[in-house]
C-alpha cells in the first residue's frame, strides 16, 4: 500500500526539481526570519539568491547540535512564538535539551510523513495501534499518535512502562500493531514468556520500532518471539520526530520522505559528500518546516543511501540501517567499536540474552574493554567449565569481528537493566584531558 503515490513514486528528476524549489524557499525564509541563520549565512558569504537548485545545497553551512543548545530555548525559531502551536524537546541528559517548535503547517507535514510510514508497513484504518513510546516532550508518542489518526486507525495511547498492563491491553483490545523501542519489544516478549501468555493468543501482526539502532539479528529475534513483521521507523527531534522515514514490506531500507527532508551523506571527518552506497554521516535539511527550519543538520548517524527504485514501486531514496552514531562510537585501543556490533554478535548465540553493557576504562595507560552479558536461564549453571566454554566462544567471535579482545563478564539472568525507552549500552569511564 502507498499513502501518497504522487510523491512516493515521483520520477527522480522531477523530485530533484521539487526539492530545488523548496530549498530556495526555505533558505530565503531562514535567512529573512532567523537571526541565527542570517548570521551563519553572512559568515559564509551566502545569500538566498545563491541557491538556484538542489545541487547548490553544498554551498550552505552545516548546523550542529551545540547550535541548538547555544540558542536555547527559542533562539532557532523562524516565526513569531504566536505562530508556534507545539513544542517538543530532547531529554537533555547531557546538557540543555534540544527544543523544537512547530507551526500548524509543520504538524500537518509531520502527520503526513508518519502516515506514509504506517501505510508502507501495511496498516490502515482497520488497525488498532498501541503506542508504547513516551508521550510529553519526547516526539515519539505524539508523533506516532497523530500519524495513526491521519490514516484513520485507532490509537491506543499506552505510553511507556507498566508492562503487565501493556500486555493486558494488547490482549483485551486486540492490538494489531505495537510501536515502541526494539529493546522494549524484546522485554515484552520476555514478560509474555514469564506470565505464560501465548503469542498466538494475541492479534499482533506488525511492530513499529525505532528511537535506537537495531540490527537485522535483532529483527529476526523479535519477529520470531512475537510472531510479527518488525519494521524500522526513523526520526529525530531536531528534524521533526518519528516518520522522517520508514521501511516498506520489502524491509530493504528506510524510505525517506525526501520532499520534506533532504538527506545527504558526508564523510564525518572531511565533511565532503560521499557517493551513493558509501557509508558516512547522515545530514538533513528540512524542506518544508517553517517554525524551526534545519539547514544541513549533522545527525551523527552513520548509514548509506540507495537511490535505486524499490521493488515496492517507491522511488524515494532508501537509507540503510543505522550502524551507530559517530559521537557514540567508542575508540578502544585505536579500534572503532559500536554497540550495535556487539548486539548483532550476541544474537548469533542461542545461549545469550540480547542484553549487554559495555564498560570502557583506562588503567595504567591501557584501555580496558569489558562486556557484561546474560546467559539465558536454561544455560546458566554453576558448572564453571561450561560457562568458560560459552564465554570463550563469544570472546573469540567478538575479537574476530571487532578486532580487539574483550573481557566477557557473565552476570546472573535479569541482572542487566531493561529499559522501556532507549537502552543504555555503553559507559566510558575514561577521562580525556
Amino acid at each position: 500500500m502507498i499513502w501518497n503515490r504522487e510523491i512516493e513514486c515521483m520520477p527522480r528528476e522531477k523530485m530533484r526539481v521539487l526539492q530545488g524549489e523548496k530549498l530556495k524557499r526555505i533558505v530565503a525564509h531562514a535567512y529573512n526570519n532567523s537571526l541565527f541563520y542570517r548570521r551563519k549565512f553572512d559568515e559564509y558569504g551566502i545569500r538566498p539568491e545563491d541557491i538556484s537548485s538542489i545541487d547548490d545545497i553544498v554551498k550552505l553551512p552545516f548546523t550542529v547540535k551545540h547550535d541548538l543548545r547555544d540558542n536555547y530555548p527559542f533562539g532557532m525559531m523562524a516565526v513569531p512564538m504566536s505562530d508556534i502551536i507545539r513544542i517538543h524537546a530532547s531529554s537533555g541528559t547531557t546538557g540543555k535539551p534540544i527544543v523544537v517548535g512547530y507551526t500548524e503547517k509543520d504538524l500537518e507535514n509531520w502527520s503526513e510523513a508518519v502516515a506514509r510510514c504506517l501505510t508502507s508497513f501495511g496498516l490502515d484504518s482497520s488497525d488498532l495501534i498501541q503506542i508504547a513510546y513516551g508521550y510529553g516532550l519526547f516526539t515519539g508518542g505524539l508523533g506516532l499518535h497523530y500519524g495513526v489518526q491521519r490514516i484513520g486507525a485507532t490509537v491506543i495511547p499506552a505510553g511507556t512502562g507498566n508492562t503487565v498492563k501493556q500486555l493486558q491491553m494488547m490482549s483485551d483490545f486486540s492490538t494489531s500493531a505495537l510501536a515502541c523501542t526494539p529493546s522494549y519489544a524484546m522485554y515484552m516478549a520476555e514478560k509474555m514468556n514469564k506470565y505464560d501468555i501465548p503469542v498466538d493468543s494475541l492479534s499482533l501482526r506488525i511492530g513499529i520500532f525505532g528511537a535506537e539502532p537495531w540490527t537485522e539479528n535483532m529483527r529476526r529475534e523479535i519477529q520470531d518471539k512475537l510472531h510479527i513483521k518488525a519494521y524500522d521507523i526513523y526520526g529525530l527531534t531536531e528534524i521533526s520526530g518519528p516518520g522522517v522515514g520508514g521501511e516498506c514490506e520489502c524491509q530493504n531500507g528506510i524510505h525517506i520522505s525526501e520532499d520534506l527532508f533532504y538527506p545527504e551523506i558526508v564523510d564525518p571527518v572531511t565533511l565532503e559528500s560521499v557517493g551513493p552506497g558509501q557509508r558516512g554521516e547522515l545530514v538533513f535539511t528540512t524542506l518544508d518546516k517553517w517554525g524551526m527550519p534545519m539547514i544541513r543538520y549533522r545527525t551523527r548517524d552513520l548509514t548509506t543511501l540507495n537511490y535505486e527504485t524499490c521493488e515496492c514501486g517507491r522511488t524515494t531514496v532508501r537509507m540503510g540501517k543505522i550502524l551507530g552514531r559517530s559521537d557514540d562510537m567508542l575508540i578502544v585501543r585505536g579500534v572503532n567499536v559500536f554497540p550495535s556490533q556487539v548486539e548483532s554478535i550476541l544474537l548469533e548465540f542461542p545461549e545469550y540474552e540480547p542484553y549487554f553493557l559495555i564498560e570502557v576504562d583506562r588503567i595504567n595507560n591501557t584501555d580496558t574493554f569489558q562486556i557484561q552479558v546474560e546467559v539465558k536461564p536454561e544455560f546458566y549453571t554453576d558448572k564453571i567449565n561450561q560457562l568458560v566454554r560459552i564465554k570463550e566462544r563469544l570472546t573469540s567471535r567478538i575479537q574476530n569481528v571487532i578486532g580487539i579482545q574483550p573481557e566477557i563478564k557473565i552476570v546472573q539472568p535479569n541482572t542487566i537493566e531493561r529499559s522501556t525507552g532507549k537502552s543504555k549500552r555503553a559507559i566510558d569511564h575514561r577521562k580525556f584531558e
Side-chain angles (χ1 to χ4, degrees):
M1 296 187 292
I2 297 177
W3 175 257
N4 188 332
R5 186 169 293 276
E6 179 183 0
I7 292 294
E8 296 178 73
C9 299
M10 182 177 286
R12 293 296 318 162
E13 282 307 310
K14 188 175 179 181
M15 175 63 76
R16 290 186 65 78
V17 171
L18 176 62
Q19 291 168 333
E21 293 170 350
K22 287 192 167 191
L23 180 64
K24 287 187 287 184
R25 288 198 295 269
I26 206 68
V27 166
H29 172 70
Y31 185 84
N32 293 325
N33 297 285
S34 165
L35 182 60
F36 167 79
Y37 276 118
R38 178 181 285 271
R39 288 173 175 169
K40 190 98 168 177
F41 290 178
D42 285 347
E43 179 185 345
Y44 280 78
I46 299 294
R47 295 187 61 82
E49 51 265 31
D50 296 328
I51 306 300
S52 59
S53 73
I54 196 63
D55 293 327
D56 291 326
I57 198 167
V58 295
K59 299 177 181 178
L60 298 169
F62 293 99
T63 307
V64 294
K65 182 168 288 189
H66 72 72
D67 291 327
L68 282 74
R69 288 182 171 149
D70 290 347
N71 287 278
Y72 173 90
F74 304 136
M76 298 292 291
M77 304 303 172
V79 297
M81 287 304 295
S82 58
D83 291 340
I84 297 293
I85 65 170
R86 194 195 298 172
I87 287 173
H88 281 288
S90 67
S91 60
T93 54
T94 57
K96 290 181 179 178
I98 301 301
V99 176
V100 181
Y102 302 78
T103 65
E104 184 175 359
K105 176 63 174 173
D106 295 338
L107 292 181
E108 290 176 2
N109 286 337
W110 188 10
S111 296
E112 163 72 17
V114 175
R116 295 177 192 176
C117 295
L118 297 175
T119 305
S120 71
F121 302 153
L123 297 166
D124 58 30
S125 60
S126 66
D127 283 291
L128 285 81
I129 303 174
Q130 186 164 325
I131 300 176
Y133 285 112
Y135 277 70
L137 287 175
F138 176 60
T139 57
L142 285 171
L144 265 296
H145 186 112
Y146 284 93
V148 171
Q149 289 188 177
R150 184 68 171 266
I151 68 170
T154 301
V155 180
I156 304 174
T160 59
N162 204 338
T163 305
V164 173
K165 188 175 181 180
Q166 294 267 7
L167 295 173
Q168 181 182 348
M169 285 190 291
M170 201 178 295
S171 176
D172 294 347
F173 298 168
S174 297
T175 299
S176 56
L178 170 67
C180 63
T181 62
S183 56
Y184 188 46
M186 291 290 291
Y187 182 62
M188 279 188 165
E190 194 175 81
K191 288 297 184 183
M192 289 171 65
N193 185 57
K194 178 179 179 180
Y195 293 116
D196 294 321
I197 301 174
V199 175
D200 292 332
S201 69
L202 303 176
S203 300
L204 203 63
R205 62 186 182 87
I206 286 174
I208 305 164
F209 304 126
E212 61 188 21
W214 53 302
T215 61
E216 287 300 319
N217 282 342
M218 174 72 94
R219 188 208 301 272
R220 285 190 286 270
E221 188 89 355
I222 291 173
Q223 292 186 155
D224 180 61
K225 288 188 173 182
L226 292 179
H227 298 182
I228 60 174
K229 197 160 184 182
Y231 291 100
D232 201 345
I233 189 167
Y234 176 82
L236 61 165
T237 301
E238 300 91 323
I239 300 304
S240 76
V244 171
E247 291 180 314
C248 65
E249 65 269 22
C250 300
Q251 294 178 311
N252 188 25
I254 294 170
H255 290 274
I256 302 293
S257 283
E258 55 179 319
D259 60 313
L260 302 175
F261 317 105
Y262 182 77
E264 303 172 77
I265 298 289
V266 301
D267 184 297
V269 177
T270 67
L271 300 184
E272 296 294 324
S273 298
V274 304
Q278 292 186 324
R279 192 177 76 192
E281 182 180 333
L282 182 63
V283 173
F284 273 115
T285 297
T286 56
L287 297 178
D288 209 343
K289 191 164 183 284
W290 301 91
M292 188 175 145
M294 283 285 101
I295 308 296
R296 300 195 83 192
Y297 181 75
R298 293 183 59 188
T299 68
R300 301 289 184 173
D301 287 334
L302 299 174
T303 186
T304 59
L305 293 177
N306 181 351
Y307 292 89
E308 296 177 359
T309 300
C310 183
E311 290 180 16
C312 72
R314 291 175 178 83
T315 56
T316 47
V317 65
R318 281 173 288 155
M319 182 180 84
K321 276 279 189 185
I322 300 295
L323 171 64
R325 292 176 56 83
S326 59
D327 53 358
D328 281 350
M329 179 183 72
L330 296 166
I331 301 178
V332 184
R333 303 171 206 159
V335 176
N336 297 343
V337 177
F338 294 95
S340 58
Q341 292 174 301
V342 175
E343 175 193 277
S344 185
I345 293 168
L346 273 179
L347 288 167
E348 294 176 7
F349 290 82
E351 300 94 341
Y352 291 99
E353 297 282 10
Y355 306 108
F356 64 93
L357 179 65
I358 300 171
E359 290 201 61
V360 178
D361 207 340
R362 180 162 289 165
I363 300 175
N364 297 326
N365 295 317
T366 301
D367 289 340
T368 63
F369 178 38
Q370 183 192 83
I371 307 175
Q372 296 179 27
V373 296
E374 286 184 19
V375 173
K376 292 178 181 177
E378 59 267 32
F379 292 101
Y380 194 76
T381 175
D382 57 3
K383 296 179 180 178
I384 300 299
N385 288 340
Q386 291 185 23
L387 288 181
V388 167
R389 283 196 294 271
I390 292 173
K391 188 161 67 172
E392 286 177 345
R393 289 175 54 226
L394 180 60
T395 300
S396 176
R397 178 64 175 149
I398 290 176
Q399 183 173 8
N400 288 337
V401 172
I402 295 179
I404 56 174
Q405 181 173 315
E407 175 200 349
I408 299 296
K409 181 180 180 181
I410 295 177
V411 298
Q412 292 184 353
N414 300 306
T415 300
I416 296 173
E417 182 181 359
R418 273 57 163 165
S419 173
T420 61
K422 294 185 180 182
S423 56
K424 187 172 185 62
R425 300 176 177 181
I427 300 175
D428 192 340
H429 298 286
R430 295 171 296 181
K431 304 295 183 185
F432 297 98
E433 301 298 334

